[in-house]
Amino acid sequence: MSVLPLRIRNFQNEDLETLCEIDRVCFADDIAFSRAELLCQIHNCKSITRVGEGLGRILGFVIARIENPLYAHVLTLDVVPEARRCGIGISLMRAMHRALAKGKIQAAVLEVSARNLPAQRLYEKLQYRYLETVHGYYQGREDAYRMVRDNLPTMPQRPYTPCA
């Protein structure tokens, strides 16, 4: 695995089309977010989106939604195929963990395809543990593992503020 130079930043409106394209490359058509769904998730007041740029373009992104004052749900982690195994996914997830910890979020939960071993290994490296199997999670035909990471990194924190 070679590490690519990466700049992680917040989502900008002009990123939307590229993020839609990346999501369609990463997931089957019936699993990928539609443009409207992606826009809704990104602009949800409880969502955090981080974008990874390198080599002059967007290489990946992660979206998490704060579900309550204690935990967040990682909705998607997408990395373009040609940049996988280069440290993009782990960097995006660590940036997300730091952002969640700033809001005093203590845990993150996610689902990963039971068939996606590389993603499972990535989450294991990030100290996620298996909670349960969710049968038929992907359109009723593919199982997923629900995983959780407790004890997100601590740092100077501000209180969680739910949106109206």
Side-chain angles (χ1 to χ4, degrees), residues 38-120:
L38 196 61
L39 190 60
C40 182
Q41 294 299 343
I42 290 169
H43 286 300
N44 182 311
C45 67
K46 295 180 181 179
S47 290
I48 299 170
T49 303
R50 295 293 181 261
V51 174
E53 288 182 320
L55 305 173
R57 65 189 181 112
I58 295 174
L59 298 173
F61 68 97
V62 61
I63 303 171
R65 183 179 60 232
I66 298 168
E67 298 293 347
N68 67 43
L70 298 178
Y71 87 94
H73 187 175
V74 178
L75 302 174
T76 194
L77 170 64
D78 295 24
V79 176
V80 297
E82 61 273 20
R84 292 182 186 156
R85 302 200 46 80
C86 296
I88 309 291
I90 206 160
S91 295
L92 284 164
M93 289 296 290
R94 286 179 176 154
M96 180 60 69
H97 292 156
R98 286 190 301 273
L100 294 171
K102 281 184 182 179
K104 293 191 176 181
I105 304 301
Q106 297 173 14
V109 66
L110 57 81
E111 291 79 25
V112 60
S113 169
R115 293 192 266 177
N116 190 341
L117 293 177
Q120 292 171 40

Side-chain angles (χ1 to χ4, degrees), residues 141-153:
R141 65 176 187 275
E142 186 177 337
D143 295 345
Y145 296 126
R146 183 161 290 136
M147 301 180 78
V148 65
R149 176 179 169 172
D150 300 304
N151 304 315
L152 293 173

